[in-house]
Amino acid sequence: MKMNETIQALSIAGFDSGGGAGLQADLKTFQERMVFGTSVLTALPIQNTQGVQKVYAIPLEAIEDQLAIIKTDFKLAAVKTGMLFTADITKLVADFLKTAAFGPLVVDPVMIAKSGHALLKESAVAALIEHILPQAFVVTPNIPEAEVMSGMTILTQEDMVKAGKKIQRLGAKNVVVKGGHHLEGDQSTDLLLLENGQCDWLSAPRINTKNTHGTGCTFSACITAELAKGKTVSEAVHTAKAFIQAAIADGISVGLGNGPTNHWAYRKVGANDIQ
């Protein structure tokens, strides 16, 4: 086998001691989608399924060194950002990505943990919008995150479209507004707003479970893996929707709090269901 023949992707994100979110979820997802995963650690949350206790930022020099060493050795086909935590980290990552041929950028604008603990400092939100979003090929906010970025309240699917268009005007080419947060109904419906203005709605039955830790990380990581394999945005998002639906439906029962999704669940539903 030739060097760098295997499809490779990068996750720039925070750590999860409990293994259900952050870098761990990203790498598990990459592996399940047959993409080799590399990683750059930005922050160290002290957490388990019951919540985040505290967060330590990784020194800027260490983050820059990680990015540089990845750049010198790997041939990346896609990259995603997750938890960036501070304005300085956000700006550093954004500046580095401008100089690196890492492939399409998927941005998961991680802001709040399931427990309510802030994973993006308030001062970093503006940095994310100013420096990261203009480079985003795909951005995947949930409803609360989309409200922050768009500056509007989202109560309906029409609001999701309006918010998505506002986020596009901030620079992101394709926007996925995830409807699983706060919108009522027996269906969990997401909006894919494509660069050409086309709206694509993706729905799946809403699942009554507390085992949803890491859903956003897993969903965006699956999109990243599919883009790395050369799939279109629409194909990547549809695959990610099916992947995360299976992972939630067959959640893992560990810990005393919000358990993680099941990254190998798609194997049980059959290869024909997720291509």
Side-chain angles (χ1 to χ4, degrees), residues 48-67:
N48 55 25
T49 64
Q50 298 179 81
V52 177
Q53 302 303 312
K54 61 179 69 172
V55 179
Y56 296 98
I58 302 300
L60 294 178
E61 183 179 0
I63 297 172
E64 189 169 24
D65 287 348
Q66 290 177 80
L67 288 164

Side-chain angles (χ1 to χ4, degrees), residues 2-14:
K2 296 179 181 179
M3 294 299 293
N4 281 321
E5 187 176 78
T6 301
I7 298 171
Q8 301 151 60
L10 169 65
S11 169
I12 303 171

Side-chain angles (χ1 to χ4, degrees), residues 224-241:
T224 307
E226 298 308 306
L227 291 176
K229 292 188 285 189
K231 302 294 185 179
T232 66
V233 175
S234 182
E235 289 170 335
V237 173
H238 277 266
T239 296
K241 180 69 171 179

